[in-house]
């Protein structure tokens, strides 16, 4: 099985959080453990790609743009 890049994991998290998702849902959907998921969520929050509101993580507009750019670069 091929290892995922950091960008792949970040894009997967942003995809799952598009309509809002709890941390547990993100962990299971993206197939991460809680500690690693926490580090990625903190990094995405610092870069303003995701926001945390009412217990849900939601992809921001900046996060949606990043996600689209990452998809295009993969071709």
């Amino acid at each position: 099985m091929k290892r995922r890049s950091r960008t792949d994991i970040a894009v997967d998290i942003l995809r799952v959080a598009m309509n809002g998702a709890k941390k547990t849902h993100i962990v299971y959907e993206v197939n991460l453990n809680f500690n690693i998921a926490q580090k990625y969520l903190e990094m995405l929050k610092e870069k303003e790609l995701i926001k945390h509101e009412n217990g849900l993580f939601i992809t921001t507009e900046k996060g949606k743009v990043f996600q689209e750019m990452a998809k295009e670069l993969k071709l």
Side-chain angles (χ1 to χ4, degrees):
M1 190 167 117
K2 186 178 175 211
R3 291 179 61 125
R4 294 180 289 175
S5 70
R6 292 183 68 195
T7 305
D8 290 339
I9 294 170
V11 167
D12 285 346
I13 291 172
L14 293 173
R15 176 185 48 80
V16 173
M18 194 65 74
N19 298 316
K22 292 185 178 182
K23 187 193 295 185
T24 306
H25 184 73
I26 292 169
V27 165
Y28 286 112
E29 197 70 27
V30 182
N31 195 23
L32 298 172
N33 71 40
F34 271 90
N35 294 332
I36 293 174
Q38 184 63 38
K39 289 177 184 176
Y40 275 95
L41 290 169
E42 287 174 12
M43 182 264 300
L44 291 169
K45 277 196 290 187
E46 282 175 19
K47 299 194 181 312
E48 298 175 356
L49 300 176
I50 205 168
K51 61 186 174 183
H52 191 234
E53 289 181 356
N54 304 323
L56 294 176
F57 289 94
I58 304 166
T59 304
T60 63
E61 285 303 314
K62 188 175 173 183
K64 291 175 185 175
V65 169
F66 171 80
Q67 194 177 21
E68 286 301 313
M69 289 172 62
K71 282 181 188 175
E72 285 181 29
L73 290 173
K74 275 208 170 155
L75 304 173

